[in-house]
Amino acid sequence: MSPHPSAPIGVFDSGVGGLTVVRALMERLPFEDIVYFGDTARVPYGVKSVDTIRHFTAQITQFLLEKQVKMLIVACNTMAAVAVDVVHQLANVPVLDVIEAGARNAVNVSRSNSIGVIGTPTTINSNAYARSIHHLNPGVRVFSQACPLFVPLVEEGWLDHPVTRMTAHEYLRPIFVEQIDTLVLGCTHYPLLKPLLQEVAGPDIALVDSAAAMAEQTAQILAERQLANLARHAPRYHFHVTDIPLRFQTIGERFLGRSLANVDMVKWN
Amino acid sequence: MSPHPSAPIGVFDSGVGGLTVVRALMERLPFEDIVYFGDTARVPYGVKSVDTIRHFTAQITQFLLEKQVKMLIVACNTMAAVAVDVVHQLANVPVLDVIEAGARNAVNVSRSNSIGVIGTPTTINSNAYARSIHHLNPGVRVFSQACPLFVPLVEEGWLDHPVTRMTAHEYLRPIFVEQIDTLVLGCTHYPLLKPLLQEVAGPDIALVDSAAAMAEQTAQILAERQLANLARHAPRYHFHVTDIPLRFQTIGERFLGRSLANVDMVKWN
């Protein structure tokens, strides 16, 4: 049975970071319903084993397919890096992942064909961005760096703090010596550090975050597959999470850029 | 049925940090078998909701009781802070938790009766150290501070790094103005930062970590209950974890202070 245009778009992430993608979708596709899943009880994924991430990814994909979504968006870089094939195998609907979207965006932006990528240890170790970029253009040189402290720094709210600036200099020094002109922010938390990272990177390096690129590519895919919702009702947004921790509302709204309602907690364990 | 002296001691934590307690137990009680459980698939607990932490704690307690342990040691400060009653309810064996042990140690060490406590947000918000210290001596003043970046800094291995030093100054400034003479390291990761924290705190503040205190109190409890293992065989150590992530061996051995063998992965989800 093929999906129906009135069905919602499913977006998932290991936690709240994927709300940056939801925010971009709300703006680009204001009549589409969205169902979000954030695995807040088991976040972060970036430090877990590949087997465990693949197992969790399959669970979440099944959950959203049961919600009758018409498309699946993998907002989590770590899941996209090591488990996107699991999603494709299970899903009978179009799938878009953040790495594919970010790689396409970076290749379009870069003039020097030297691209830097930053992300969690699992994303960087997977080498998924380099593969995806080389698939689009084998001539590009890719320089990557894991930045495990950026997620906790964002969650601490130290978005413009001397500790964060010093950490950024330390992490980015090795890739800045490579004459890159484009830096991919390969984690949904990193867009919140964009002003600080732009200052550290200087004006000659373009920072690429994937949220806007994903929203644009989602619009294209829905149009091509005749899955766009043509009704002009106010959309419904539904958020499912596996835990509602301390400061969830504050942190969630920081990512979503607006108030966060209609949140359900899923009990899995 | 009461437990048998030849049975193992059960130690559990949200991740690998509790291995600092295992290390102290190995040294203080070299003939006792130990079964360790670390919930590495769901770590960290310090940023999760109280309900979720209580649910996970019950699961782990049941797991270790099925291994026929003669005593349960709650090495995780976060579980001790918000879920130790869950362990007491389920267990038919003696229970020792890290907060009780650390509070007792701090009260014995302090001369000024002004004690600082640092830990994860959940541990600090629970106020469990203040309650435990006041239970022992209502005249003590307690000043506490959440330090959410210390765990990721330890896991990054930045044990003696300018970023860690700057972060420590930022976190500790508000409690140092209170004339404390004792600082409780209320998280199993923090003993690895002891040299740096001692330097930041200066020579007049005693740093209290609970691993050695727990080993001592465990020895007392086993002797009192006639549960000490009198056999003089080489002990068996068994480690159960819910995930074996990247760098698990390296990080685990950093905490345990020796090589880490006999590790089993438990599949729960």
Side-chain angles (χ1 to χ4, degrees):
Chain A
M1 205 181 73
S2 78
H4 197 274
S6 66
I9 299 170
V11 180
F12 63 98
D13 184 39
S14 54
V16 291
L19 294 174
T20 53
V21 176
V22 173
R23 177 184 191 163
L25 285 169
M26 286 171 164
E27 286 160 6
R28 180 64 185 81
L29 296 165
F31 297 108
E32 296 290 347
D33 295 346
I34 299 173
V35 182
Y36 182 81
F37 187 98
D39 196 1
T40 46
R42 301 189 294 201
V43 75
Y45 280 21
V47 292
K48 301 192 199 304
S49 72
V50 169
D51 278 356
T52 293
I53 295 163
R54 292 172 69 84
H55 178 62
F56 291 173
T57 303
Q59 270 187 308
I60 299 169
T61 301
Q62 289 290 8
F63 178 92
L64 286 173
L65 291 172
E66 283 161 21
K67 302 284 173 200
Q68 311 288 333
V69 296
K70 64 180 171 185
M71 178 170 174
L72 276 170
I73 297 185
V74 188
C76 174
N77 282 271
T78 304
M79 287 194 262
V82 302
V84 75
D85 59 310
V86 171
V87 185
H88 281 282
Q89 269 164 35
L90 292 168
N92 53 350
V93 297
V95 175
L96 178 65
D97 77 84
V98 65
I99 290 182
E100 191 187 330
R104 194 173 297 277
N105 200 2
V107 168
N108 289 340
V109 166
S110 178
R111 295 283 157 266
S112 70
N113 282 349
S114 277
I115 296 175
V117 178
I118 56 176
T120 64
T122 304
T123 299
I124 296 305
N125 283 337
S126 76
N127 217 22
Y129 271 101
R131 277 200 307 279
S132 199
I133 289 169
H134 282 165
H135 189 73
L136 296 162
N137 180 349
V140 173
R141 293 184 312 145
V142 177
F143 303 95
S144 55
Q145 175 67 44
C147 305
L149 288 165
F150 280 174
V151 167
L153 285 164
V154 167
E155 298 200 334
E156 181 64 319
W158 289 8
L159 306 182
D160 182 34
H161 190 286
V163 163
T164 312
R165 193 164 288 110
M166 194 191 279
T167 304
H169 277 288
E170 173 99 10
Y171 281 146
L172 298 177
R173 197 178 304 124
I175 53 177
F176 286 165
V177 301
E178 301 293 349
Q179 313 292 324
I180 60 166
D181 71 344
T182 305
L183 179 65
V184 180
L185 308 186
C187 172
T188 50
H189 277 63
Y190 298 178
L192 277 72
L193 296 174
K194 216 168 174 179
L196 181 144
L197 293 173
Q198 189 69 69
E199 188 195 313
V200 170
D204 297 334
I205 296 180
L207 303 189
V208 165
D209 84 84
S210 315
M214 291 191 89
E216 194 53 47
Q217 291 178 38
T218 301
Q220 278 175 28
I221 291 169
L222 292 180
E224 280 164 21
R225 311 278 187 112
Q226 286 160 1
L227 284 172
N229 192 350
L230 302 176
R232 288 298 172 257
H233 308 305
R236 280 165 302 187
Y237 302 127
H238 208 131
F239 302 92
H240 301 273
V241 293
T242 47
D243 190 23
I244 300 182
L246 278 171
R247 301 186 299 165
F248 170 78
Q249 201 74 21
T250 315
I251 296 176
E253 292 180 353
R254 193 182 293 157
F255 283 98
L256 194 62
R258 68 200 71 194
S259 67
L260 179 60
N262 227 352
V263 178
D264 273 347
M265 186 162 149
V266 181
K267 276 270 181 200
W268 260 354
N269 299 293
Chain B
M1 205 180 74
S2 78
H4 196 275
S6 67
I9 298 169
V11 180
F12 64 97
D13 185 40
S14 54
V16 291
L19 294 175
T20 53
V21 175
V22 174
R23 177 185 191 164
L25 286 169
M26 287 171 163
E27 286 161 7
R28 179 64 185 78
L29 296 164
F31 296 109
E32 296 290 347
D33 295 347
I34 298 172
V35 182
Y36 182 82
F37 186 97
D39 195 1
T40 44
R42 302 189 293 200
V43 74
Y45 279 20
V47 293
K48 300 193 200 303
S49 72
V50 169
D51 278 357
T52 294
I53 295 163
R54 291 172 69 83
H55 178 62
F56 291 174
T57 303
Q59 270 187 308
I60 299 169
T61 302
Q62 289 290 11
F63 178 92
L64 285 174
L65 290 173
E66 283 162 21
K67 301 286 173 199
Q68 311 289 334
V69 295
K70 64 180 171 184
M71 178 170 174
L72 276 170
I73 296 185
V74 189
C76 173
N77 282 269
T78 303
M79 286 194 262
V82 302
V84 76
D85 58 309
V86 171
V87 186
H88 281 282
Q89 270 165 35
L90 292 168
N92 53 349
V93 298
V95 175
L96 178 67
D97 76 83
V98 65
I99 290 183
E100 192 187 331
R104 196 173 296 279
N105 200 3
V107 168
N108 289 340
V109 165
S110 179
R111 295 284 156 264
S112 70
N113 282 350
S114 277
I115 296 176
V117 178
I118 55 177
T120 65
T122 303
T123 299
I124 297 305
N125 284 334
S126 76
N127 216 24
Y129 271 101
R131 277 200 308 279
S132 199
I133 289 170
H134 282 166
H135 190 73
L136 296 163
N137 180 350
V140 173
R141 293 184 310 144
V142 177
F143 303 95
S144 55
Q145 176 65 46
C147 304
L149 288 166
F150 281 174
V151 167
L153 285 164
V154 167
E155 297 201 335
E156 180 66 317
W158 287 9
L159 306 182
D160 182 34
H161 190 285
V163 162
T164 311
R165 194 164 286 112
M166 194 191 280
T167 304
H169 277 287
E170 173 100 9
Y171 282 146
L172 298 177
R173 197 178 303 123
I175 54 175
F176 285 164
V177 301
E178 303 292 349
Q179 314 290 325
I180 60 166
D181 72 342
T182 306
L183 180 64
V184 180
L185 309 186
C187 172
T188 50
H189 277 64
Y190 298 178
L192 277 70
L193 296 175
K194 218 169 172 177
L196 181 145
L197 293 174
Q198 189 70 68
E199 188 194 313
V200 170
D204 298 334
I205 296 179
L207 302 190
V208 164
D209 85 84
S210 314
M214 293 191 88
E216 194 53 46
Q217 292 178 38
T218 301
Q220 278 174 29
I221 291 169
L222 292 180
E224 281 164 19
R225 311 279 188 112
Q226 288 162 358
L227 285 172
N229 193 350
L230 302 176
R232 290 297 173 256
H233 307 306
R236 280 164 302 186
Y237 302 127
H238 208 131
F239 302 91
H240 301 273
V241 293
T242 48
D243 191 24
I244 299 181
L246 277 172
R247 301 186 300 164
F248 170 78
Q249 201 74 19
T250 314
I251 295 178
E253 293 180 353
R254 193 181 295 157
F255 283 97
L256 194 62
R258 68 201 70 193
S259 67
L260 179 60
N262 225 351
V263 178
D264 271 349
M265 185 161 148
V266 182
K267 275 270 183 203
W268 260 353
N269 299 293

PDB file of all heavy atoms in Angstrom, chain A residues 91-107:
ATOM      1  N   ALA A  91      11.694   0.348   5.424  1.00  0.00           N
ATOM      2  CA  ALA A  91      10.703   1.352   5.025  1.00  0.00           C
ATOM      3  C   ALA A  91      10.162   1.102   3.625  1.00  0.00           C
ATOM      4  O   ALA A  91      10.909   0.769   2.710  1.00  0.00           O
ATOM      5  CB  ALA A  91      11.323   2.736   5.099  1.00  0.00           C
ATOM      6  N   ASN A  92       8.860   1.276   3.459  1.00  0.00           N
ATOM      7  CA  ASN A  92       8.205   1.250   2.145  1.00  0.00           C
ATOM      8  C   ASN A  92       7.825   2.672   1.728  1.00  0.00           C
ATOM      9  O   ASN A  92       6.923   2.884   0.936  1.00  0.00           O
ATOM     10  CB  ASN A  92       6.957   0.364   2.212  1.00  0.00           C
ATOM     11  CG  ASN A  92       6.050   0.797   3.364  1.00  0.00           C
ATOM     12  OD1 ASN A  92       6.447   1.612   4.200  1.00  0.00           O
ATOM     13  ND2 ASN A  92       4.841   0.276   3.388  1.00  0.00           N
ATOM     14  N   VAL A  93       8.525   3.662   2.306  1.00  0.00           N
ATOM     15  CA  VAL A  93       8.284   5.077   1.996  1.00  0.00           C
ATOM     16  C   VAL A  93       9.638   5.713   1.694  1.00  0.00           C
ATOM     17  O   VAL A  93      10.682   5.150   2.020  1.00  0.00           O
ATOM     18  CB  VAL A  93       7.608   5.810   3.186  1.00  0.00           C
ATOM     19  CG1 VAL A  93       6.231   5.216   3.491  1.00  0.00           C
ATOM     20  CG2 VAL A  93       8.497   5.791   4.422  1.00  0.00           C
ATOM     21  N   PRO A  94       9.645   6.905   1.044  1.00  0.00           N
ATOM     22  CA  PRO A  94      10.934   7.558   0.779  1.00  0.00           C
ATOM     23  C   PRO A  94      11.694   7.872   2.075  1.00  0.00           C
ATOM     24  O   PRO A  94      11.081   8.177   3.096  1.00  0.00           O
ATOM     25  CB  PRO A  94      10.539   8.856   0.060  1.00  0.00           C
ATOM     26  CG  PRO A  94       9.159   8.650  -0.433  1.00  0.00           C
ATOM     27  CD  PRO A  94       8.513   7.667   0.486  1.00  0.00           C
ATOM     28  N   VAL A  95      13.023   7.790   1.996  1.00  0.00           N
ATOM     29  CA  VAL A  95      13.897   8.048   3.145  1.00  0.00           C
ATOM     30  C   VAL A  95      14.897   9.139   2.747  1.00  0.00           C
ATOM     31  O   VAL A  95      15.492   9.075   1.666  1.00  0.00           O
ATOM     32  CB  VAL A  95      14.677   6.770   3.540  1.00  0.00           C
ATOM     33  CG1 VAL A  95      15.680   7.069   4.662  1.00  0.00           C
ATOM     34  CG2 VAL A  95      13.723   5.653   3.934  1.00  0.00           C
ATOM     35  N   LEU A  96      15.052  10.148   3.606  1.00  0.00           N
ATOM     36  CA  LEU A  96      16.106  11.152   3.387  1.00  0.00           C
ATOM     37  C   LEU A  96      16.945  11.205   4.647  1.00  0.00           C
ATOM     38  O   LEU A  96      16.405  11.243   5.753  1.00  0.00           O
ATOM     39  CB  LEU A  96      15.494  12.527   3.118  1.00  0.00           C
ATOM     40  CG  LEU A  96      16.501  13.677   2.916  1.00  0.00           C
ATOM     41  CD1 LEU A  96      17.344  13.484   1.656  1.00  0.00           C
ATOM     42  CD2 LEU A  96      15.793  15.034   2.870  1.00  0.00           C
ATOM     43  N   ASP A  97      18.265  11.211   4.498  1.00  0.00           N
ATOM     44  CA  ASP A  97      19.081  11.292   5.707  1.00  0.00           C
ATOM     45  C   ASP A  97      19.983  12.513   5.680  1.00  0.00           C
ATOM     46  O   ASP A  97      20.320  13.045   4.624  1.00  0.00           O
ATOM     47  CB  ASP A  97      19.852   9.996   5.941  1.00  0.00           C
ATOM     48  CG  ASP A  97      21.050   9.864   5.041  1.00  0.00           C
ATOM     49  OD1 ASP A  97      22.121  10.406   5.383  1.00  0.00           O
ATOM     50  OD2 ASP A  97      20.915   9.217   3.973  1.00  0.00           O
ATOM     51  N   VAL A  98      20.364  12.928   6.861  1.00  0.00           N
ATOM     52  CA  VAL A  98      21.066  14.188   7.067  1.00  0.00           C
ATOM     53  C   VAL A  98      22.445  14.201   6.410  1.00  0.00           C
ATOM     54  O   VAL A  98      22.924  15.256   5.981  1.00  0.00           O
ATOM     55  CB  VAL A  98      21.143  14.478   8.594  1.00  0.00           C
ATOM     56  CG1 VAL A  98      21.981  13.439   9.317  1.00  0.00           C
ATOM     57  CG2 VAL A  98      21.648  15.862   8.883  1.00  0.00           C
ATOM     58  N   ILE A  99      23.063  13.035   6.282  1.00  0.00           N
ATOM     59  CA  ILE A  99      24.410  13.009   5.693  1.00  0.00           C
ATOM     60  C   ILE A  99      24.337  13.223   4.183  1.00  0.00           C
ATOM     61  O   ILE A  99      25.089  14.021   3.619  1.00  0.00           O
ATOM     62  CB  ILE A  99      25.140  11.702   6.061  1.00  0.00           C
ATOM     63  CG1 ILE A  99      25.464  11.747   7.563  1.00  0.00           C
ATOM     64  CG2 ILE A  99      26.392  11.510   5.221  1.00  0.00           C
ATOM     65  CD1 ILE A  99      26.223  10.568   8.093  1.00  0.00           C
ATOM     66  N   GLU A 100      23.404  12.529   3.554  1.00  0.00           N
ATOM     67  CA  GLU A 100      23.173  12.711   2.118  1.00  0.00           C
ATOM     68  C   GLU A 100      22.872  14.197   1.834  1.00  0.00           C
ATOM     69  O   GLU A 100      23.465  14.797   0.927  1.00  0.00           O
ATOM     70  CB  GLU A 100      21.970  11.844   1.751  1.00  0.00           C
ATOM     71  CG  GLU A 100      21.703  11.663   0.299  1.00  0.00           C
ATOM     72  CD  GLU A 100      20.357  10.920   0.105  1.00  0.00           C
ATOM     73  OE1 GLU A 100      19.976  10.106   0.979  1.00  0.00           O
ATOM     74  OE2 GLU A 100      19.700  11.199  -0.912  1.00  0.00           O
ATOM     75  N   ALA A 101      21.971  14.781   2.632  1.00  0.00           N
ATOM     76  CA  ALA A 101      21.577  16.176   2.417  1.00  0.00           C
ATOM     77  C   ALA A 101      22.748  17.126   2.642  1.00  0.00           C
ATOM     78  O   ALA A 101      22.979  18.056   1.860  1.00  0.00           O
ATOM     79  CB  ALA A 101      20.407  16.530   3.343  1.00  0.00           C
ATOM     80  N   GLY A 102      23.515  16.883   3.715  1.00  0.00           N
ATOM     81  CA  GLY A 102      24.646  17.764   4.047  1.00  0.00           C
ATOM     82  C   GLY A 102      25.767  17.650   3.020  1.00  0.00           C
ATOM     83  O   GLY A 102      26.393  18.657   2.656  1.00  0.00           O
ATOM     84  N   ALA A 103      26.018  16.442   2.548  1.00  0.00           N
ATOM     85  CA  ALA A 103      27.085  16.229   1.567  1.00  0.00           C
ATOM     86  C   ALA A 103      26.758  16.963   0.270  1.00  0.00           C
ATOM     87  O   ALA A 103      27.606  17.644  -0.325  1.00  0.00           O
ATOM     88  CB  ALA A 103      27.259  14.730   1.305  1.00  0.00           C
ATOM     89  N   ARG A 104      25.512  16.867  -0.163  1.00  0.00           N
ATOM     90  CA  ARG A 104      25.072  17.517  -1.403  1.00  0.00           C
ATOM     91  C   ARG A 104      25.232  19.031  -1.274  1.00  0.00           C
ATOM     92  O   ARG A 104      25.759  19.699  -2.183  1.00  0.00           O
ATOM     93  CB  ARG A 104      23.601  17.151  -1.642  1.00  0.00           C
ATOM     94  CG  ARG A 104      23.071  17.459  -3.026  1.00  0.00           C
ATOM     95  CD  ARG A 104      21.664  16.903  -3.205  1.00  0.00           C
ATOM     96  NE  ARG A 104      21.619  15.438  -3.101  1.00  0.00           N
ATOM     97  CZ  ARG A 104      21.908  14.613  -4.116  1.00  0.00           C
ATOM     98  NH1 ARG A 104      22.240  15.107  -5.309  1.00  0.00           N
ATOM     99  NH2 ARG A 104      21.852  13.312  -3.950  1.00  0.00           N
ATOM    100  N   ASN A 105      24.833  19.550  -0.132  1.00  0.00           N
ATOM    101  CA  ASN A 105      24.935  20.981   0.133  1.00  0.00           C
ATOM    102  C   ASN A 105      26.404  21.444   0.116  1.00  0.00           C
ATOM    103  O   ASN A 105      26.752  22.445  -0.521  1.00  0.00           O
ATOM    104  CB  ASN A 105      24.288  21.262   1.504  1.00  0.00           C
ATOM    105  CG  ASN A 105      23.899  22.708   1.668  1.00  0.00           C
ATOM    106  OD1 ASN A 105      24.070  23.513   0.770  1.00  0.00           O
ATOM    107  ND2 ASN A 105      23.381  23.041   2.839  1.00  0.00           N
ATOM    108  N   ALA A 106      27.280  20.685   0.778  1.00  0.00           N
ATOM    109  CA  ALA A 106      28.697  21.063   0.869  1.00  0.00           C
ATOM    110  C   ALA A 106      29.352  21.067  -0.511  1.00  0.00           C
ATOM    111  O   ALA A 106      30.118  21.978  -0.850  1.00  0.00           O
ATOM    112  CB  ALA A 106      29.427  20.098   1.799  1.00  0.00           C
ATOM    113  N   VAL A 107      29.048  20.063  -1.322  1.00  0.00           N
ATOM    114  CA  VAL A 107      29.647  19.971  -2.660  1.00  0.00           C
ATOM    115  C   VAL A 107      29.190  21.159  -3.520  1.00  0.00           C
ATOM    116  O   VAL A 107      29.965  21.717  -4.303  1.00  0.00           O
ATOM    117  CB  VAL A 107      29.291  18.617  -3.314  1.00  0.00           C
ATOM    118  CG1 VAL A 107      29.632  18.599  -4.794  1.00  0.00           C
ATOM    119  CG2 VAL A 107      29.999  17.484  -2.579  1.00  0.00           C
TER     120      VAL A 107
END
